[in-house]
Amino acid sequence: MVKQEGNPSRLKETSKVQPLVVVVGLGVSGQAACRWGLRQGYRVLGTDLSRDSRIQTVAATLEAEGVSVRLGEHRLEDFAGADLVVVSPGVPLDTKVLAEARRRGIPVIGELEWAWRSLRVPTVAVTGTNGKTTTTELVGALLQRAGLKVFVGGNIGTPLSGWLAEHGQERADGAALDAALDWCVLEVSSFQLDSAPSFAPDLGIVLNVTQDHLDRYPDFEAYAASKFSMFQKNPAVSQTAVINADDPVCRRWASSLNVPTLFFSRHDASAHAFTDGRTLTAVARDGTGRRFDLSRWALRGTHNLENLMAASLAGLHCGIDPGVIQETIDTFRPSPHRMEWLGSVNGVGFINDSKGTNVGAVMKALESCTQPVVLLLGGRSKKTDFRDLEPLCAQKVRAVVGFGETGTQAAAELSSCVPTVVVNDLEEAFQEAVVRARSGDVVLLSPACASFDQYPNYAARGDHFRALFQRHAEKAAEGGLGVCPRTFFSADAGRVA
């Protein structure tokens, strides 16, 4: 497939020797965008509202590389001479300086969009409220096991512009990039899609759409529309959609797509991919059905079967041999912080699902638990309703421990169906859970919230929970209590933003 030759959305040439690019937000994506701008020969100004020690270190590094940095404020005068503004996913698009830049006719796009305009290799993009990371890693593993050169990143790991910055400046014919890559597999968030007007992957996967980020969108429909915005943008790209037929929102939106659509389902055996939990059947490009054995599939939870169906359909559509798909099913192992089994102490298990940053993710986590649960909820609110958890809490949860900024809200909204308690932070929540849990129970950190009230990211929160468990296990061992070895399984519950 030929991608975006002569893309009309590409930044227009100006008379300046070095056009100015302003990068707003200096997180991982913003830093990558700065380096991509330098690699292309632009003058780059990076700006961030923070002045904390972490961003000071980032600023010093970028300045040493040639980026001008402004911290603590976004100044309108810094944007006045910009030829392009590149915005990081975490920065709201209605920010005053961005609105003013658009009013002045300055293009405002996201890091994903800017990098995408220089990419001319086949691309798989994975989005959805939950399961994006596992599915992205699965698709990448399938292609890599087949011996292909694959970049896996985007909203996980390395941003696309970061990969481009490391692999040289784009040549006019794209040959330098094409030689380094056979496929690009990207996890993409709604925030990234909102600022990516021409992003149109060859294969787009939508796993599910449940309530999330309602602190950023005017309503749920706007959030759902963002997820499906990667289709029908670029007539030069022949797209295919892979959609969850069991998700009612996905099914409704799929009916309006004008691209070939492949459905996966746990309930409809006529879908392009179907599983009964023991085997998975998927339709290959030639129309023949392929059956895969799931006896060695290591990831826990029915939602991970959905992730696997989506990835298997993508693999077959990309021309991967069924034998390679079976080998990947047999050997794939999960990443941390996604239903990560830490071990058990005195008969109580501990699961780190810090990646569970929305209510839908917690639902999937609870559905995968067969033992009574002491559930740790809290963090920074996304303005979702904890009461959606009531049926599962009444069925599976012994107690809810609320912590952080939304701990009180979580406890209040679930108090009618389960005993609740509110504490200040994760360490207090862990101790409270230990007191309340009984032998045979599971203590589950699946917080349904962002981590930013007390941690820089979900991984730091998960690392803290793991450290608390390790300390608890060590004390228990000293006291002669039973401590089971640590093993891992996963039930990916999605990625923030």
Side-chain angles (χ1 to χ4, degrees):
M1 184 218 67
V2 177
K3 178 164 293 170
Q4 303 192 164
E5 295 294 347
N7 189 327
S9 300
R10 192 179 299 277
L11 179 63
K12 293 180 180 180
E13 295 296 330
T14 71
S15 59
K16 297 180 180 179
V17 176
Q18 281 188 299
L20 173 64
V21 175
V22 177
V23 177
V24 185
L26 295 178
V28 174
S29 294
Q31 294 169 51
C34 286
R35 293 186 173 102
W36 177 226
L38 290 176
R39 197 61 182 262
Q40 295 181 97
Y42 297 120
R43 290 182 296 130
V44 180
L45 169 64
T47 178
D48 196 292
L49 291 177
S50 176
R51 291 184 184 271
D52 65 23
S53 58
R54 182 196 64 85
I55 205 68
Q56 294 279 357
T57 302
V58 167
T61 301
L62 290 175
E63 287 176 332
E65 296 176 17
V67 178
S68 299
V69 177
R70 178 86 61 197
L71 297 182
E73 60 180 339
H74 297 317
R75 301 197 319 177
L76 286 173
E77 52 265 40
D78 289 334
F79 291 74
D83 297 277
L84 175 70
V85 174
V86 177
V87 59
S88 298
V91 178
L93 295 176
D94 59 358
T95 298
K96 181 180 178 180
V97 290
L98 300 182
E100 178 62 20
R102 286 190 293 267
R103 190 189 70 79
R104 297 183 182 189
I106 302 170
V108 177
I109 61 174
E111 174 270 332
L112 173 66
E113 171 73 12
W114 196 25
W116 168 258
R117 294 177 180 182
S118 294
L119 191 69
R120 293 180 175 82
V121 295
T123 300
V124 178
V126 182
T127 196
T129 306
N130 303 303
K132 296 187 292 296
T133 298
T134 291
T135 306
T136 301
E137 291 174 344
L138 264 169
V139 175
L142 288 170
L143 296 169
Q144 288 166 345
R145 184 173 284 272
L148 298 169
K149 296 173 289 186
V150 186
F151 167 68
V152 181
N155 195 43
I156 56 170
T158 303
L160 180 56
S161 61
W163 185 90
L164 291 172
E166 287 200 9
H167 287 79
Q169 186 173 344
E170 176 196 11
R171 275 172 36 185
D173 60 1
L177 299 181
D178 292 352
L181 206 60
D182 295 313
W183 279 91
C184 182
V185 183
L186 300 175
E187 176 182 318
V188 295
S189 69
S190 57
F191 294 174
Q192 289 174 308
L193 292 170
D194 290 341
S195 56
S198 74
F199 181 72
D202 304 270
L203 184 68
I205 299 173
V206 185
L207 296 166
N208 45 63
V209 182
T210 60
Q211 288 194 23
D212 197 11
H213 299 305
L214 297 186
D215 55 336
R216 176 107 167 213
Y217 292 93
D219 52 40
F220 177 69
E221 279 303 297
Y223 171 63
S226 176
K227 292 294 186 185
F228 282 86
S229 65
M230 62 181 172
F231 299 109
Q232 304 173 315
K233 287 181 176 178
N234 188 346
V237 176
S238 177
Q239 292 187 275
T240 300
V242 175
I243 305 294
N244 186 351
D246 299 337
D247 185 288
V249 178
C250 286
R251 190 82 193 199
R252 173 166 55 83
W253 276 86
S255 66
S256 65
L257 298 181
N258 292 321
V259 300
T261 303
L262 306 175
F263 289 101
F264 60 92
S265 173
R266 292 186 292 110
H267 307 296
D268 182 0
S270 67
H272 298 91
F274 170 77
T275 182
D276 59 7
R278 298 180 300 275
T279 62
L280 186 158
T281 302
V283 177
R285 286 193 300 183
D286 61 4
T288 60
R290 304 290 185 174
R291 179 166 292 183
F292 303 99
D293 174 35
L294 301 183
S295 61
R296 299 184 65 186
W297 174 239
L299 278 67
R300 179 172 174 169
T302 56
H303 55 294
N304 272 318
L305 293 175
E306 294 175 351
N307 298 338
L308 178 60
M309 285 189 287
S312 299
L313 272 179
L316 290 172
H317 183 80
C318 294
I320 302 302
D321 184 89
V324 170
I325 296 176
Q326 183 66 64
E327 291 172 4
T328 306
I329 291 172
D330 293 344
T331 59
F332 185 80
R333 296 296 178 264
S335 298
H337 311 300
R338 299 167 184 83
M339 291 299 284
E340 177 187 0
W341 175 258
L342 300 180
S344 65
V345 176
N346 203 27
V348 177
F350 292 80
I351 298 175
N352 169 23
D353 190 38
S354 183
K355 195 80 178 293
T357 57
N358 56 68
V359 168
V362 181
M363 289 180 178
K364 292 180 181 297
L366 289 174
E367 287 169 355
S368 72
C369 292
T370 58
Q371 301 161 274
V373 175
V374 178
L375 177 62
L376 278 56
L377 291 174
R380 177 149 295 171
S381 173
K382 295 182 176 181
K383 296 188 178 180
T384 50
D385 195 338
F386 290 101
R387 287 171 293 190
D388 290 344
L389 293 172
E390 282 184 339
L392 280 168
C393 282
Q395 177 187 357
K396 297 196 170 195
V397 176
R398 183 180 303 283
V400 166
V401 183
F403 69 95
E405 286 182 357
T406 57
T408 300
Q409 176 194 349
E413 293 183 354
L414 295 173
S415 60
S416 64
C417 66
V418 65
T420 62
V421 63
V422 179
V423 298
N424 292 318
D425 55 31
L426 182 57
E427 185 160 1
E428 291 184 15
F430 186 93
Q431 299 304 327
E432 185 69 33
V434 168
V435 170
R436 290 176 173 264
R438 307 173 187 173
S439 180
D441 289 357
V442 167
V443 174
L444 171 64
L445 171 66
S446 190
C449 298
S451 60
F452 304 127
D453 59 335
Q454 296 175 332
Y455 300 92
N457 50 54
Y458 74 85
R461 178 173 58 192
D463 289 341
H464 187 199
F465 184 74
R466 189 189 298 115
L468 292 169
F469 166 76
Q470 290 170 344
R471 188 188 314 160
H472 176 58
E474 289 168 0
K475 289 183 178 179
E478 292 172 0
L481 297 178
V483 180
C484 289
R486 179 180 172 194
T487 55
F488 293 93
F489 62 86
S490 171
D492 182 322
R495 175 169 181 80
V496 177

